[in-house]
Amino acid sequence: GMIFSRSNLKGLLAQGKIETMKALAGSIAHELRNPLSQLKHRLDGISQKLPRSTAGQQTQTIRADDLNVLYRELAKGKLAIERGLQVIAMTLDEINARPINAESLRYLSAATTTRNAVEEFSYESSADRERVSVVVVDDFIFKGDETRYAFVLFNLLSNAVYYFSMRPSAQVTITVAARTVTVQDTGPGMSPEVLARVFESFHTAGKPGGTGLGLSYCKRTMAAFGGDITCESELDRYTRFVLHFPQITDVELEQHRREVLQTATDIFRGKRLLIVDDVASLRATTRAQLRAINVEMDEAENGQQALEMLARGNYDAMMLDLGMPVLDGYATAEAVRSG
């Protein structure tokens, strides 16, 4: 056997802590890559639509379509910043071994949250994005945290997309069905030895820059949601991760629906809402969906008509379609802001 002196043992423990902190720092940098890349992309989009700067006081104009793009890019940039702050908070929770707060969990659509995460992921190119597809067989509701769920998918996508440059035919298919979300790629697969240890903390299969924290984080997150994650793989054929979610009873969903409706009813009691949409059938659908909260509703066919109605009476809220003839939602909102 080996004999360690006290000083040697302290040195080994200290080195272990240093390596752990290095891994954690690497994890933060890796996870922040998505929101920071998104933010850079949005800022690039804004700079492209802004008129060129001038030294003098010359007035410059922005086309209405470009202004709408600026609003969209700004909104998505703010979302990226929020995601980045959440990543930092989540990583600090991991460092301090804080469990996920059950009160922070929300009822989420698997299809919607999955599509959102796939769109937010930071791809190297548009060609890489086209090699990732989402198939919804059956949508379902699960109770979880949207940001944490997104970063579970980011981890799985990152592992799969890493091999795209080495395997031009590789694809990733994400399937939503029957309380499961399956992420399957046609990449290099894993040997039985690697597969057996895939969810261990700090175990990595040799990708440069990998921390090995990702899949163990996925395992802990799915456990906090009351579910699990499993993996199947064949070397040189495929890797399939399956996220398993617990059944939510109809009684629980109905109780949640009643609580949401009661909260909304309290907020909108005595209020007037203006629904602005150029499609009559969509206005009717919106009315039907909001009838349960007993809010007083009026309708307008476009932004100009909405402004005329606002000039004649008071409304507490407007629900604006973005793309409308005459005056669209962005221009209508800007007109209201400017008085």
Side-chain angles (χ1 to χ4, degrees):
M2 298 182 68
I3 298 175
F4 296 100
S5 69
R6 181 175 296 179
S7 59
N8 284 343
L9 187 57
K10 286 176 66 178
L12 287 170
L13 289 172
Q15 183 63 29
K17 288 182 179 179
I18 290 171
E19 293 305 317
T20 299
M21 293 308 296
K22 283 182 179 179
L24 288 167
S27 177
I28 294 173
H30 179 73
E31 300 299 355
L32 279 175
R33 180 175 177 269
N34 277 286
L36 289 177
S37 295
Q38 281 288 324
L39 182 58
K40 180 183 182 300
H41 178 65
R42 301 307 166 191
L43 291 176
D44 288 344
I46 289 173
S47 65
Q48 290 172 10
K49 294 300 180 183
L50 287 174
R52 292 182 179 179
S53 60
T54 59
Q57 300 297 317
Q58 181 182 355
T59 300
Q60 300 191 62
T61 60
I62 299 178
R63 293 173 55 249
D65 289 346
D66 289 341
L67 184 62
N68 293 343
V69 171
L70 289 175
Y71 278 123
R72 286 195 295 270
E73 295 295 328
L74 182 61
K76 291 177 180 178
K78 288 180 178 178
L79 176 61
I81 292 173
E82 182 180 336
R83 285 282 194 244
L85 293 173
Q86 289 170 327
V87 169
I88 294 171
M90 285 161 45
T91 309
L92 290 174
D93 286 347
E94 288 291 301
I95 292 172
N96 295 301
R98 292 194 193 105
I100 295 175
N101 182 4
E103 294 182 359
S104 69
L105 304 183
R106 299 290 181 265
Y107 292 91
L108 303 169
S109 157
T112 300
T113 50
T114 299
R115 288 192 181 109
N116 288 346
V118 170
E119 290 304 319
E120 283 185 40
F121 182 73
S122 179
Y123 300 92
E124 293 293 335
S125 66
S126 58
D128 282 358
R129 169 65 188 91
E130 291 172 1
R131 294 164 70 176
V132 178
S133 59
V134 177
V135 178
V136 178
V137 179
D138 290 302
D139 191 15
F140 61 92
I141 301 297
F142 71 94
K143 196 172 185 180
D145 178 282
E146 183 174 5
T147 299
R148 291 178 185 275
Y149 174 71
F151 277 88
V152 167
L153 290 185
F154 288 170
N155 269 300
L156 300 180
L157 279 171
S158 180
N159 289 339
V161 170
Y162 173 81
Y163 295 101
F164 274 5
S165 62
M166 292 169 269
R167 290 179 172 255
S169 62
Q171 303 276 340
V172 179
T173 303
I174 303 176
T175 305
V176 179
R179 289 186 287 115
T180 61
V181 175
T182 302
V183 181
Q184 179 162 331
D185 67 70
T186 54
M190 290 180 274
S191 68
E193 293 76 19
V194 172
L195 182 61
R197 301 183 59 197
V198 74
F199 293 113
E200 293 179 13
S201 295
F202 305 111
H203 177 70
T204 179
K207 295 191 297 295
T211 64
L213 282 172
L215 293 177
S216 60
Y217 166 79
C218 295
K219 191 80 168 177
R220 289 191 299 275
T221 298
M222 289 305 300
F225 292 173
D228 196 9
I229 178 172
T230 57
C231 183
E232 304 170 18
S233 187
E234 287 189 27
L235 201 58
D236 293 323
R237 288 194 62 198
Y238 72 91
T239 296
R240 180 189 302 125
F241 287 96
V242 183
L243 309 179
H244 304 268
F245 295 86
Q247 176 73 52
I248 297 178
T249 66
D250 292 340
V251 172
E252 185 178 353
L253 284 176
E254 179 58 27
Q255 180 181 346
H256 170 64
R257 176 180 174 276
R258 287 197 302 268
E259 290 173 354
V260 169
L261 286 177
Q262 185 59 55
T263 300
T265 300
D266 292 342
I267 291 171
F268 281 96
R269 184 176 286 113
K271 301 290 196 300
R272 297 182 70 199
L273 171 67
L274 182 57
I275 301 169
V276 190
D277 198 312
D278 61 305
V279 182
S281 61
L282 293 180
R283 296 198 304 270
T285 299
T286 301
R287 273 185 174 275
Q289 291 175 333
L290 297 180
R291 194 167 291 129
I293 65 174
N294 298 319
V295 62
E296 184 180 343
M297 291 177 275
D298 288 334
E299 298 179 19
E301 294 182 359
N302 56 62
Q304 185 59 47
Q305 189 180 92
L307 293 178
E308 293 168 1
M309 294 175 69
L310 285 171
R312 296 195 302 266
N314 294 322
Y315 289 92
D316 299 285
M318 277 199 304
M319 191 168 183
L320 287 167
D321 182 32
L322 298 182
M324 296 182 292
V326 185
L327 198 66
D328 65 21
Y330 291 108
T332 305
E334 184 61 25
V336 172
R337 289 193 187 103
S338 62

